[in-house]
């Protein structure tokens, strides 16, 4: 356990007593409980929430056999083998307004997309293939029996498992649940996450910056990252580097939240003080992680609540959040998700130290050749937030990887997901 209790700093270059990103993630995931409390909420509030139980379809979707196109509903028996067919139009069927008479041989019904197929019909000839002459239509051979018709239950069949428990509800799922008639849905309760910044040098926005002070940006980054995860957020403000202040905020946070996140105070020179306070209230490992940026990380529990002590540097906060905290919160939410990584050709050459994972701010784009290309962007210092804003991805260079040459394939983690 020595290896996971050593102190760390961003500047430290020795990797021998470090934990790999994968090991740290595994340690973290192993120790976290999955929340088991559920609640019913209105469907329109369910975006980003995690399904607590599987959804079984209570009905067929679509409920009725209906037309997929605007055209004429006919019976397949009336399709000509060769030449031209003439049929009598005996009425119209609209979405929401069905044609209720029976259709017989030689007859057809004008039909709109989504309208229920009239009794006796099974095929739709699209209007573009039809010549209208008064109350008659003419069309040529070549149409296929059963075409342009959506069968009942074609999308979802009654009794079918539509969504598994653990599914994150995205816009498609909200629509799917609505299409089945659900007004409410059973989801896991929201995680409650408390966070605060530490540092005597921090000044809150809206106040005048004093000599040697910096504005507290981490709390805004953290707030933004947490908002995306549909958790309840408790902003505990700025905490000074004082024993009592830290003790107090940790106690308050632990009383209200499932997870506590702090930034700052976990690198060499600061750990003695934070270590003392944290060890009084819980069990915390002070890790040195073989990664750049985001090397120091504290993880453990404070009064039974999961605790993450993120580094202070603004980019390190974001990298550590996305690599460790976000997967941890996902695990606790009980949701299943995909970690989207893909390969792109590197337009930059750069040095890479063996034995640590590096997250490089970069931009990917599609080349004219159709290949994905990626270019390192901006200054890579762990305090330089601007390049985080300019970037649209991380190039993720795994621990065993050495220097990257221009044209090499590298792994890319995109910042933006589509849904
Ligand atoms: P620390 O890990 O507390 O030594 O902080 C490392 C660096 O990050 C220092 O330069 C801090 O001033 C800076 N820093 C720490 N917390 C914040 C914050 N909340 N907002 C902006 N910068 C911060
Ligand atoms: Mg500090």
């Amino acid at each position: 356990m020595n290896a996971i209790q050593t102190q760390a700093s961003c500047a430290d270059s020795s990797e021998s007593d470090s934990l790999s990103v994968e090991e740290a993630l595994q340690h973290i995931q192993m120790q976290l409980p999955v929340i088991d409390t559920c609640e019913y909420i209105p469907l329109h509030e369910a975006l980003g929430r995690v399904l607590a139980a599987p959804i079984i379809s209570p009905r067929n979707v679509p409920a009725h056999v209906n037309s997929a196109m605007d055209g004429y509903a006919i019976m397949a028996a009336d399709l000509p083998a060769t030449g031209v067919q003439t049929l009598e139009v005996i009425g119209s069927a609209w979405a929401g307004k069905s044609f209720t008479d029976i259709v017989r041989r030689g007859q057809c019904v004008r039909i709109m997309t989504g309208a229920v197929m009239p009794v006796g019909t099974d095929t739709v000839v699209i209007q573009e293939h039809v010549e209208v002459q008064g109350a008659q239509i003419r069309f040529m051979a070549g149409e296929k029996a059963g075409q342009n018709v959506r069968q009942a239950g074609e999308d979802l069949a009654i009794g079918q498992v539509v969504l598994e428990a653990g599914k994150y509800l995205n816009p498609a799922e909200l629509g799917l649940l609505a299409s089945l008639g659900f007004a409410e849905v059973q989801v896991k309760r929201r995680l409650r996450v408390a966070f605060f910044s530490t540092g005597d040098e921090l000044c809150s926005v809206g106040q005048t910056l004093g000599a040697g002070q910096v504005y507290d940006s981490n709390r805004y980054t953290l707030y933004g990252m947490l908002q995306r995860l549909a958790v309840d957020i408790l902003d505990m403000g700025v905490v000074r580097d004082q024993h009592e202040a830290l003790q107090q905020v940790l106690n308050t946070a632990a009383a209200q939240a499932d997870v506590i996140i702090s930034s700052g105070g976990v690198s060499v020179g600061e750990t003695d003080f934070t270590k003392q306070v944290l060890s009084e209230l819980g069990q915390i490992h002070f890790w040195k992680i073989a990664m750049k940026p985001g090397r120091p990380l504290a993880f453990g529990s404070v009064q039974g609540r999961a605790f993450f002590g993120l580094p202070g540097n603004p980019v390190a906060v974001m990298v550590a959040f996305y690599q460790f905290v976000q997967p941890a919160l996902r695990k606790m939410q009980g949701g299943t998700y995909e970690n989207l990584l893909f390969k792109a050709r590197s337009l930059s050459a750069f040095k890479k130290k063996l034995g640590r994972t590096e997250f490089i701010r970069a931009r990917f784009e599609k080349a004219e050749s159709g290949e994905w290309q990626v270019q390192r962007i901006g200054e890579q210092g762990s305090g330089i937030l601007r390049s985080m804003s300019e970037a649209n991805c991380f190039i993720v260079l795994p621990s065993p990887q050495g220097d990257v040459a221009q044209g090499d394939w590298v792994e890319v983690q995109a910042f933006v997901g589509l849904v």
Side-chain angles (χ1 to χ4, degrees):
M1 288 301 269
N2 261 349
I4 58 170
Q5 285 174 341
T6 46
Q7 296 181 6
S9 89
C10 296
D12 202 332
S13 64
S14 156
E15 309 295 339
S16 58
D17 50 358
S18 298
L19 213 59
S20 71
V21 168
E22 295 76 19
E23 284 168 326
L25 198 54
Q26 211 180 352
H27 275 287
I28 291 169
Q29 299 281 46
M30 254 162 40
Q31 291 183 35
L32 296 174
V34 176
I35 46 171
D36 49 16
T37 326
C38 309
E39 59 186 351
Y40 281 93
I41 59 168
L43 187 58
H44 67 264
E45 287 172 16
L47 187 67
R49 302 292 295 273
V50 176
L51 261 191
I55 299 287
I56 312 291
S57 182
R59 52 177 54 84
N60 280 326
V61 178
H64 310 281
V65 182
N66 69 85
S67 178
M69 302 291 279
D70 291 346
Y72 293 84
I74 67 163
M75 61 182 72
D78 276 338
L79 286 172
T82 56
V84 175
Q85 171 68 296
T86 302
L87 298 175
E88 180 197 356
V89 184
I90 60 166
S92 298
W94 307 83
K97 201 169 142 219
S98 304
F99 178 82
T100 46
D101 287 347
I102 293 170
V103 180
R104 298 200 159 75
R105 292 289 307 259
Q107 298 181 327
C108 70
V109 168
R110 172 91 174 108
I111 194 162
M112 300 301 161
T113 305
V116 175
M117 291 293 286
V119 176
T121 66
D122 54 20
T123 300
V124 171
V125 179
I126 62 170
Q127 57 195 13
E128 290 81 359
H129 289 185
V130 163
E131 192 189 315
V132 183
Q133 289 177 334
Q136 289 191 328
I137 57 161
R138 284 157 53 82
F139 60 93
M140 313 256 292
E143 304 290 331
K144 293 200 171 52
Q147 70 184 12
N148 302 321
V149 172
R150 297 190 284 226
Q151 299 302 323
E154 176 181 289
D155 187 356
L156 302 167
I158 195 163
Q160 182 186 340
V161 176
V162 181
L163 297 170
E164 304 280 356
K167 181 81 183 166
Y168 277 96
L169 300 177
N170 282 319
E173 283 77 35
L174 298 190
L176 201 56
L177 289 165
S179 76
L180 293 171
F182 288 102
E184 285 197 325
V185 58
Q186 193 187 15
V187 294
K188 297 274 188 170
R189 77 157 167 83
R190 280 178 187 271
L191 273 180
R192 285 186 289 271
V193 182
F195 69 103
F196 56 90
S197 297
T198 68
D200 285 337
E201 77 282 26
L202 300 182
C203 175
S204 292
V205 294
Q207 292 175 358
T208 311
L209 207 59
Q213 286 194 313
V214 293
Y215 280 117
D216 170 17
S217 59
N218 289 347
R219 222 149 35 89
Y220 289 84
T221 325
L222 278 169
Y223 188 75
M225 294 189 293
L226 288 169
Q227 262 189 320
R228 289 265 164 88
L229 298 176
V231 298
D232 280 337
I233 303 172
L234 303 166
D235 182 349
M236 315 290 287
V238 173
V239 178
R240 298 300 167 203
D241 293 322
Q242 293 160 359
H243 191 281
E244 254 171 45
L246 186 56
Q247 201 174 43
Q248 202 181 352
V249 74
L250 285 168
N251 276 320
T252 314
Q256 299 177 53
D258 303 294
V259 179
I260 306 165
I261 303 170
S262 71
S263 75
V266 292
S267 52
V268 162
E270 298 209 289
T271 38
D272 286 349
F273 152 74
T274 21
K275 249 184 174 169
Q276 196 194 333
V277 180
L278 284 165
S279 62
E280 286 165 17
L281 297 175
Q283 289 176 314
I284 311 289
H285 301 300
F286 284 79
W287 285 333
K288 217 169 160 180
I289 301 185
M291 68 190 276
K292 189 190 169 187
R295 185 168 170 69
L297 180 76
F299 171 72
S301 65
V302 168
Q303 301 195 346
R305 309 302 189 183
F307 173 81
F308 291 88
L310 304 184
N313 275 309
V315 179
V317 166
M318 296 192 77
V319 172
F321 184 93
Y322 285 124
Q323 305 310 321
F324 301 115
V325 184
Q326 184 157 306
L329 297 181
R330 297 275 198 215
K331 156 98 197 277
M332 292 178 81
Q333 286 174 326
T336 50
Y337 71 103
E338 292 118 33
N339 189 10
L340 193 70
L341 288 166
F342 65 95
K343 295 257 187 199
R345 210 181 268 286
S346 178
L347 294 175
S348 329
F350 31 80
K351 294 245 169 286
K352 158 66 174 60
K353 219 172 124 180
L354 287 171
R356 74 176 178 203
T357 308
E358 292 190 11
F359 298 91
I360 292 157
R361 278 150 273 170
R363 284 193 72 81
F364 67 88
E365 61 178 23
K366 207 169 198 171
E368 270 175 28
S369 64
E371 222 170 60
W372 287 106
Q373 296 182 337
V374 64
Q375 184 149 34
R376 181 160 89 153
I377 198 157
E379 292 296 326
Q380 297 287 327
S382 61
I384 300 171
L385 209 45
R386 185 162 58 96
S387 47
M388 211 42 216
S389 160
E390 288 166 349
N392 65 3
C393 67
F394 290 125
I395 295 174
V396 184
L397 300 178
S399 175
Q401 158 115 41
D403 293 350
V404 174
Q406 191 182 345
D408 280 357
W409 288 97
V410 289
E411 201 128 60
V412 164
Q413 191 173 36
F415 288 175
V416 178
L418 181 61
V419 290

